[in-house]
Amino acid sequence: MIKYCLSAAMLALGLAGCSAEQQDLRADGLVYCAEGAPEHFNPQRVTSGTTIDIISQQLYDRLLDIDAASGELRPALAKGWQSSADGLVYEFDLRHDVQWHQTDYFQPSRVLNAEDVVFTFNRIMDPEHPFHFIGGGIYPYFQSVDWASLVKQVSAPEPYRVRFELSRPDSSFLSNLATDFAAILSAEYAAQLLAANAPQLLDSQPIGSGPFIFREYQKDVLVRFYQHPHYWRGPAAMQQLVFDIVPNNARRMAKLLTHECDVIAYPRLAELALVTERPDVKVQESTSMNVGFWAFNTQRPPFNQVKVRQALALAINQRAILQAVYFNQATAARSVLPPTSWAFNQQLATPEYNPQAAKALLAEAGLASGFNMTIWAMPVQRLYNPNALKMAELIQADLAQIGVNATIVSYEWNTFRRKLTEGEHDSVLIGWAADNADPDNFFRPLLSCAALESGSNRAQWCDPVFDRILNQALLTDDQLQRRSFYLAAQQYLQTEMPLVALAHSQRIQAINSQIEGVTINPYGGIALFSARRVQP
Amino acid sequence: MINFLLRRLFLLGTVLFGLSLLAFSLGYLFPGDPLQNFSGIRQLEPQLRAELTAAYRLDHSYLSQYLAFLNRLWHGDWGLSLASQQPLLSEIRQVLPATIELTSYALLVSFLFGVPLGILAAIKPEGYLGKIINTITVAGYSLPVFWWALLLIMVFSVGLGWFPSGGRLGVLYEIPTVSGFMLVDIFLAETPYQQAIFLDALRHLALPTVVLATFPTTVMIRFVRDAMLEVWEQNYIKTAKAKGLSRLQVLYRHGLRNALLPVIRQIGLQFSALITLAMLTEVIFSWPGIGRWLLDSIYQRNFPAIQAGLMIISVLVITVNMLTEILHTFFNPLARKR
């Protein structure tokens, strides 16, 4: 038969399939073309959106979920929860029917219980925990929200009941549990790995309770998942889910048009108009909580002077950037917080483009003759910054107007981030996508002193006044009161200008018209649980 | 013949020696820490550093270091990839078969098309057919491979949708890696979809093979044509004709055999050009071969991988060169005496 097929293929150069079977396998599988490779398979240790998109919603569950429409919390692994009057103790009732993944490397003997939750969070908090230092002991998200000092203890008073004791009330606590980073891991699997003396496999051969089961990862080529038949929400519509890793934008688009990809991440905005004309492709747009910004290394002169930072902010033409880089698929930013947030400060002045005023400020700072600086442009495309290199060129030209000579610097992405964390930059074009609906998520991970330590503070900015405002905002549950603190925080940022917020972008997916049910959480990764193929 | 083989082997040894020396010195010539360049380990704790320094004899003379380096190479310890922290040799083992597979199909195609077309062009060099073949050859010879590849993708995959735009196999098909050669692995895999998967693999092979075969095919056509024309002028051909053999008989018995001898040698000479083109082709078609892997490594400043990749590719090219030369000599007694 193969021989027949081979000669047939040679004749027709393989134009059409020899059989209908090919159709079947394709009908039950979904190919998502991702813009990058996952770093590993444990959401606790990740900050990159690419990795979160691939692993988080697919492999794992969280105690709580965020409702995509309203931004409110809703039950997930936890059926319900209670908090004490003083806001220091939270208790969660877990579901009894959550099955772990069954694979060739792990056969679970029990369902998910409180032990797993305790294991998950102790790994992050407890330096004595056997898994704490696996992978370097770095949990960027949790460190940026100061988790270790916030949570005193996690315990399991009953098999399906988890108790969190906090050291201070924190109104963003529940939101943190609902982020993609707070995925629940299996304690039983961890114990098995520990016994086999291979604890590092926990993050590379994952076991979760989510809708898909990990099958294989071919480095920089693809990630393959299969359906989890005993998923507690019911099995996913697709039998197989493959993440094809295609970093090149044009190639990803080409693969969508040739139907090699069903869904592509981050289509180039410039090509959207072209794509919308085709009947076999649709474009899905959704609001996303993110911000693209230009951060100054405030520990380096001359960027340690407020006047210099303000001058640079005045010197750039934000409108031109929105047009050339975002193709107007974004809102002009006035603050790091997007205008859709309840804590957004409407009183903030719109950013101004005024090279004369910028020059005057530089002169006041004693730098009338200008200076040399570097602009680091991230080498990858992100929602919040689809083309950092182009943006850097625009800013470079703007800065030349006020006598500042800027050089553009870029490295391969991993190197880039490592060097940023080490603070080798003068300024950097990068951004942030929110992990939960809480406004705190825009301030603390980006600009607090704790974030400086965990390495996500790109401005290298640590200001006690600002930190105090953030901390006070967390002490109360009263939204009006919290709002007043965040308004003050935004006002403070506008005068201090550790970073210039540039744009809040829409998240856009290009999808094959046959595919339905792809959902995007505005606060996190893509969910492919209910994605299915419908015949048009 | 034995004498010839020994001479060749000696030459091979000398070249390999030079190559290993170059690879070794790269460890020092690349920027950064030599120990990291050799081992590929990103996090060098003081204790590990001391152990490795001793094992690699970095505190000894260069000669001693070089011997330790050779010893490691021989025992398969090629260090880790800086990017993935996986053993380099196992990474190469994954990507090299893909390149060999693509390259050999391209060579096969160039042979299957190049030789007949070359002969056709030689039969009546001034005729229409000869001129047409000549024109196509010149055009094909001068095509930049990346432009040609993109053109084919634009027309046949994005435009007409006949072929996939890249990769080795539709990603939904899961084929366990046994040999690393896709068609063999599909044959070995136990799956009800074998036939469909096989076809899919062929569809993935089509465009990259055509692109990669273009250059060697045109070279082959020109070479066979020239060789045939030259042989055609020889006295023994005239003798054969005078004996009353038919045109086809002369062509096959006397012309082709003599004309094809240098072609075997040509394959060896073409191989290095082919590998270079394969790298470009792999990048454009996302073919997971060693060329793409090496270019990624260069982009990532992955020095141990660059070192290992260069070594493997050079050894491959030199070995193939040497083998075709030996084959050529084996078939051609005249060459042995030279």
Side-chain angles (χ1 to χ4, degrees):
Chain A
M1 194 58 191
I2 287 216
K3 208 171 171 187
Y4 163 72
C5 231
L6 180 68
S7 49
M10 284 299 188
L11 276 179
L13 270 170
L15 299 192
C18 260
S19 66
E21 286 167 322
Q22 193 180 348
Q23 282 298 316
D24 294 339
L25 205 62
R26 268 193 62 88
D28 291 337
L30 183 90
V31 182
Y32 176 99
C33 287
E35 73 284 12
E39 305 151 68
H40 47 73
F41 291 88
N42 183 353
Q44 298 177 322
R45 290 176 40 210
V46 185
T47 45
S48 111
T50 309
T51 311
I52 286 296
D53 271 344
I54 296 176
I55 64 175
S56 199
Q57 296 280 332
Q58 275 47 267
L59 292 175
Y60 296 98
D61 282 309
R62 294 136 297 277
L63 288 177
L64 308 171
D65 274 342
I66 306 175
D67 188 86
S70 64
E72 280 169 13
L73 297 170
R74 47 166 212 214
L77 291 181
K79 282 186 290 189
W81 64 92
Q82 302 90 39
S83 62
S84 64
D86 57 3
L88 288 176
V89 177
Y90 285 83
E91 290 206 347
F92 297 85
D93 285 314
L94 302 182
R95 301 183 66 92
H96 293 222
D97 58 349
V98 180
Q99 300 279 348
W100 288 107
H101 293 163
Q102 192 160 3
T103 64
D104 6 324
Y105 52 88
F106 177 64
Q107 278 77 41
S109 69
R110 58 168 177 80
V111 294
L112 180 140
N113 65 24
E115 199 193 322
D116 297 311
V117 181
V118 173
F119 165 80
T120 301
F121 291 102
N122 275 345
R123 172 178 179 179
I124 298 169
M125 296 154 37
D126 178 8
E128 314 259 289
H129 194 273
F131 281 89
H132 183 76
F133 286 105
I134 300 295
I138 293 169
Y139 303 91
Y141 178 75
F142 295 94
Q143 281 159 352
S144 71
V145 297
D146 216 358
W147 185 265
S149 83
L150 171 69
V151 180
K152 265 201 309 209
Q153 202 193 0
V154 186
S155 55
E158 286 165 46
Y160 292 97
R161 203 175 169 83
V162 188
R163 192 182 155 93
F164 286 82
E165 287 164 51
L166 310 188
S167 56
R168 56 174 190 271
D170 184 329
S171 40
S172 71
F173 172 70
L174 286 176
S175 299
N176 286 333
L177 285 183
T179 61
D180 286 335
F181 307 102
I184 305 299
L185 312 179
S186 163
E188 190 189 359
Y189 178 50
Q192 178 191 313
L193 289 177
L194 211 54
N197 204 14
Q200 71 286 357
L201 289 183
L202 187 68
D203 297 346
S204 57
Q205 281 194 347
I207 290 290
S209 60
F212 292 97
I213 298 181
F214 175 80
R215 173 73 183 205
E216 63 166 337
Y217 171 42
Q218 298 172 18
K219 195 182 172 326
D220 295 333
V221 179
L222 60 83
V223 183
R224 190 187 307 281
F225 297 154
Y226 278 106
Q227 178 201 63
H228 179 191
H230 309 296
Y231 185 50
W232 60 276
R233 283 185 171 117
M238 288 295 187
Q239 291 286 341
Q240 199 190 156
L241 174 61
V242 173
F243 288 87
D244 192 1
I245 299 160
V246 189
N248 181 305
N249 297 322
R251 172 166 303 282
R252 232 170 24 246
M253 182 58 83
K255 284 193 153 194
L256 179 75
L257 300 182
T258 59
H259 300 182
E260 287 165 84
C261 301
D262 294 313
V263 182
I264 61 168
Y266 307 109
R268 249 203 307 213
L269 297 172
E271 284 159 353
L272 278 184
L274 183 103
V275 176
T276 40
E277 288 165 11
R278 292 182 56 126
D280 57 341
V281 172
K282 61 185 175 188
V283 172
Q284 197 178 42
E285 224 172 280
S286 46
T287 42
S288 171
M289 299 288 272
N290 63 57
V291 59
F293 56 77
W294 182 31
F296 307 111
N297 186 345
T298 54
Q299 299 198 344
R300 282 195 175 192
F303 311 100
N304 50 1
Q305 298 182 54
V306 177
K307 281 197 174 134
V308 174
R309 305 198 293 255
Q310 285 170 335
L312 293 177
L314 280 173
I316 56 169
N317 187 346
Q318 190 188 23
R319 190 177 299 171
I321 290 176
L322 280 182
Q323 198 165 19
V325 179
Y326 295 89
F327 295 90
N328 287 331
Q329 302 273 359
T331 334
R334 283 151 72 186
S335 141
V336 280
L337 206 60
T340 43
S341 168
W342 53 264
F344 179 70
N345 188 343
Q346 300 286 351
Q347 310 296 320
L348 289 178
T350 11
E352 186 188 358
Y353 170 52
N354 191 341
Q356 293 310 320
K359 267 188 175 166
L361 271 174
L362 277 190
E364 280 178 45
L367 289 162
S369 54
F371 55 93
N372 292 329
M373 67 181 285
T374 56
I375 302 174
W376 287 38
M378 56 176 199
V380 292
Q381 182 188 28
R382 284 287 178 271
L383 187 57
Y384 45 72
N385 194 337
N387 192 343
L389 222 52
K390 191 167 180 182
M391 194 188 270
E393 284 163 9
L394 291 172
I395 292 182
Q396 189 182 34
D398 284 339
L399 292 183
Q401 302 282 324
I402 59 162
V404 174
N405 178 18
T407 333
I408 299 171
V409 176
S410 194
Y411 292 95
E412 183 266 330
W413 184 224
N414 284 324
T415 320
F416 188 82
R417 277 183 303 178
R418 199 183 62 235
K419 285 180 179 283
L420 272 188
T421 308
E422 286 160 10
E424 291 184 23
H425 56 293
D426 283 343
S427 73
V428 58
L429 288 168
I430 199 161
W432 176 256
D435 314 298
N436 63 49
D438 201 285
D440 184 63
N441 193 253
F442 271 94
F443 298 108
R444 188 172 299 271
L446 290 182
L447 291 162
S448 68
C449 297
L452 179 59
E453 271 166 46
S454 73
S456 62
N457 188 332
R458 304 304 184 199
Q460 308 279 318
W461 192 61
C462 175
D463 186 320
V465 181
F466 185 71
D467 259 33
R468 205 173 314 128
I469 302 177
L470 289 188
N471 289 336
Q472 278 169 334
L474 286 185
L475 290 178
T476 167
D477 245 343
D478 178 28
Q479 208 177 51
L480 266 178
Q481 220 179 339
R482 285 191 73 194
R483 186 157 181 262
S484 65
F485 284 117
Y486 288 124
L487 298 188
Q490 289 169 71
Q491 203 69 53
Y492 190 69
L493 282 184
Q494 193 159 51
T495 39
E496 286 291 319
M497 205 62 84
L499 53 79
V500 187
L502 296 168
H504 308 292
S505 172
Q506 304 270 72
R507 175 157 184 171
I508 294 166
Q509 316 276 342
I511 302 180
N512 188 311
S513 309
Q514 290 186 5
I515 303 292
E516 270 178 14
V518 176
T519 48
I520 299 160
N521 189 321
Y523 313 103
I526 192 164
L528 298 167
F529 165 59
S530 44
R532 63 190 182 281
R533 198 178 295 275
V534 289
Q535 293 307 322
Chain B
M1 187 71 192
I2 302 269
N3 218 336
F4 168 80
L5 277 181
L6 282 178
R7 260 187 290 151
R8 291 290 126 169
L9 279 180
F10 180 73
L11 188 64
L12 184 70
T14 322
V15 173
L16 288 184
F17 169 72
L19 201 64
S20 65
L21 211 57
L22 176 74
F24 169 72
S25 48
L26 280 181
Y28 281 96
L29 295 176
F30 280 139
D33 177 7
L35 188 59
Q36 200 173 42
N37 289 344
F38 283 127
S39 67
I41 299 171
R42 216 181 299 151
Q43 303 276 338
L44 279 168
E45 316 291 343
Q47 194 199 340
L48 186 64
R49 175 175 285 278
E51 277 171 25
L52 283 179
T53 309
Y56 291 5
R57 307 185 71 78
L58 288 194
D59 41 1
H60 291 65
S61 68
Y62 283 123
L63 179 67
S64 169
Q65 290 178 35
Y66 172 66
L67 290 178
F69 174 75
L70 279 189
N71 194 34
R72 287 202 304 283
L73 283 191
W74 183 250
H75 286 102
D77 173 17
W78 289 43
L80 302 182
S81 155
L82 263 185
S84 67
Q85 294 293 288
Q86 299 296 315
L88 281 170
L89 208 56
S90 77
E91 283 203 352
I92 290 176
R93 210 169 283 157
Q94 277 170 24
V95 292
L96 191 61
T99 303
I100 295 180
E101 194 173 29
L102 182 61
T103 325
S104 31
Y105 292 138
L107 259 180
L108 191 72
V109 166
S110 73
F111 206 73
L112 287 181
F113 284 86
V115 174
L117 285 177
I119 295 170
L120 273 184
I123 290 178
K124 270 191 186 160
E126 296 307 318
Y128 277 115
L129 196 63
K131 278 187 177 158
I132 291 174
I133 294 179
N134 244 356
T135 318
I136 296 176
T137 315
V138 172
Y141 189 78
S142 3
L143 275 182
V145 63
F146 51 89
W147 179 83
W148 179 226
L150 289 177
L151 189 78
L152 289 184
I153 292 180
M154 278 304 290
V155 174
F156 290 103
S157 88
V158 178
L160 295 169
W162 291 357
F163 298 105
S165 64
R168 264 179 115 186
L169 189 67
V171 288
L172 287 171
Y173 299 127
E174 188 185 356
I175 295 294
T177 311
V178 182
S179 64
F181 295 93
M182 190 51 87
L183 296 187
V184 179
D185 283 350
I186 293 174
F187 195 74
L188 294 176
E190 283 169 26
T191 154
Y193 305 107
Q194 197 173 47
Q195 188 188 320
I197 298 178
F198 198 80
L199 259 181
D200 191 62
L202 287 183
R203 290 177 66 231
H204 278 85
L205 260 173
L207 289 187
T209 310
V210 167
V211 167
L212 189 54
T214 304
F215 180 78
T217 307
T218 54
V219 173
M220 198 67 86
I221 293 175
R222 286 159 62 127
F223 200 82
V224 169
R225 176 179 168 274
D226 292 352
M228 280 302 284
L229 286 179
E230 198 184 317
V231 168
W232 218 239
E233 295 298 313
Q234 301 295 323
N235 287 332
Y236 57 82
I237 296 283
K238 286 180 187 151
T239 317
K241 278 186 188 163
K243 276 198 295 183
L245 289 180
S246 76
R247 208 181 160 80
L248 219 66
Q249 277 171 317
V250 179
L251 185 75
Y252 180 70
R253 287 207 196 139
H254 301 279
L256 204 53
R257 287 192 179 185
N258 288 308
L260 283 190
L261 251 181
V263 172
I264 295 179
R265 199 162 175 200
Q266 194 62 19
I267 294 178
L269 296 176
Q270 287 298 306
F271 196 73
S272 61
L274 201 63
I275 287 285
T276 317
L277 291 176
M279 291 194 184
L280 285 173
T281 313
E282 281 174 9
V283 172
I284 296 169
F285 286 100
S286 326
W287 193 265
I290 196 161
R292 197 173 90 131
W293 180 80
L294 193 61
L295 286 179
D296 279 349
S297 305
I298 291 172
Y299 185 57
Q300 293 165 344
R301 312 275 189 279
N302 189 346
F303 298 119
I306 299 174
Q307 198 180 11
L310 285 180
M311 215 145 52
I312 281 286
I313 289 180
S314 330
V315 168
L316 189 71
V317 169
I318 292 168
T319 318
V320 169
N321 249 321
M322 207 64 82
L323 278 180
T324 49
E325 188 131 320
I326 290 172
L327 220 61
H328 173 247
T329 319
F330 183 74
F331 286 123
N332 183 10
L334 276 176
R336 270 177 252 161
K337 299 212 173 103
R338 249 181 257 154

